């Protein structure tokens, strides 16, 4: 939902799912995947933005990334004690480093424990902001555009302001 909405607002968005496909020697652009959940209007929004080239899909992390934001929106698995398993996020952070990312801000949108974003800042050397996912299943697009509040956390006010500006556009 986040990728589709940001693309619909005119941003160039590259949706990367490194857990589904991997390309030998770099990124492989793929056709839009079918949406695995029922979210009214999402498939049409993704298709429209794919056609307009605002939204592209990759099955592997590009070897060189140059962008203002990398948005981590991974459905964090939970163990039997209801604790988030952070390995998928750490794998992606390592892939970002391997890709020699030229990025201003890493935005975490996944369920993570307190202190994880500071760990990511240390691990990646990037500015990190946390934006808790607040979308309602079946009303994701609507709640993104009409959220009663948006929380942005960061140790750096300039980082928080840049994410706020992105989300306000």
């Amino acid at each position: 939902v986040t990728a589709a909405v940001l693309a619909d607002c005119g941003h160039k968005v590259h949706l990367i799912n490194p857990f589904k496909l991997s390309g030998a020697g770099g990124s492989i652009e793929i056709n839009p995947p079918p949406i695995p959940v029922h979210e009214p209007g999402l498939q049409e929004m993704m298709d429209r933005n794919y056609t307009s080239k605002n939204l592209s899909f990759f099955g592997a992390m590009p070897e060189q990334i140059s962008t203002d934001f990398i948005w981590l929106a991974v459905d964090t698995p939970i163990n039997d004690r209801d604790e988030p398993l952070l390995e998928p996020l750490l794998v992606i952070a390592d892939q970002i480093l391997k890709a020699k990312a030229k990025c201003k801000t890493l935005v975490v949108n996944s369920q993570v424990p307190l202190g994880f974003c500071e760990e990511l800042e240390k691990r990646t050397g990037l500015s990190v902001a946390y934006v808790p996912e607040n979308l309602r299943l079946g009303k994701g697009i609507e709640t993104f555009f009409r959220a009663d509040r948006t929380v942005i956390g960061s140790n750096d006010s300039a980082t928080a302001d840049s994410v706020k500006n992105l989300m306000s556009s």
Side-chain angles (χ1 to χ4, degrees):
V1 171
T2 301
V5 169
L6 289 173
D8 215 52
C9 290
H11 299 286
K12 296 290 182 191
V13 177
H14 304 290
L15 188 59
I16 302 166
N17 189 344
F19 299 115
K20 295 289 183 190
L21 299 172
S22 61
S27 63
I28 299 173
E29 187 166 358
I30 58 176
N31 291 325
I35 305 302
V37 295
H38 176 67
E39 192 61 56
L42 182 58
Q43 188 69 58
E44 295 83 4
M45 183 180 280
M46 290 180 69
D47 292 344
R48 178 175 62 248
N49 284 289
Y50 178 75
T51 300
S52 72
K53 307 229 183 284
N54 276 355
L55 184 60
S56 56
F57 300 86
F58 292 88
M61 189 70 68
E63 289 182 10
Q64 291 289 328
I65 299 170
S66 182
T67 183
D68 291 335
F69 301 93
I70 295 177
W71 204 284
L72 295 181
V74 176
D75 189 12
T76 311
I78 305 294
N79 67 18
D80 57 0
R81 294 185 309 261
D82 205 30
E83 300 166 329
L85 301 172
L86 303 173
E87 188 61 28
L89 292 170
L90 295 173
V91 166
I92 292 171
D94 290 342
Q95 290 177 351
I96 291 167
L97 289 175
K98 185 179 177 186
K100 300 177 182 82
K102 292 178 183 155
C103 170
K104 294 178 184 174
T105 304
L106 183 60
V107 180
V108 178
N109 196 217
S110 302
Q111 182 179 350
V112 296
L114 188 63
F116 182 75
C117 291
E118 289 176 331
E119 180 183 331
L120 275 182
E121 281 185 331
K122 291 175 189 170
R123 188 177 190 124
T124 64
L126 299 171
S127 295
V128 175
Y130 184 67
V131 179
E133 193 269 333
N134 64 349
L135 305 178
R136 290 182 209 105
L137 188 60
K139 296 184 178 190
I141 294 171
E142 180 184 332
T143 56
F144 192 98
F145 280 123
R146 293 179 192 84
D148 56 357
R149 74 182 128 297
T150 301
V151 177
I152 301 170
S154 179
N155 287 334
D156 178 60
S157 61
T159 297
D161 287 343
S162 68
V163 175
K164 178 182 176 186
N165 290 336
L166 172 71
M167 294 185 73
S168 296
S169 61

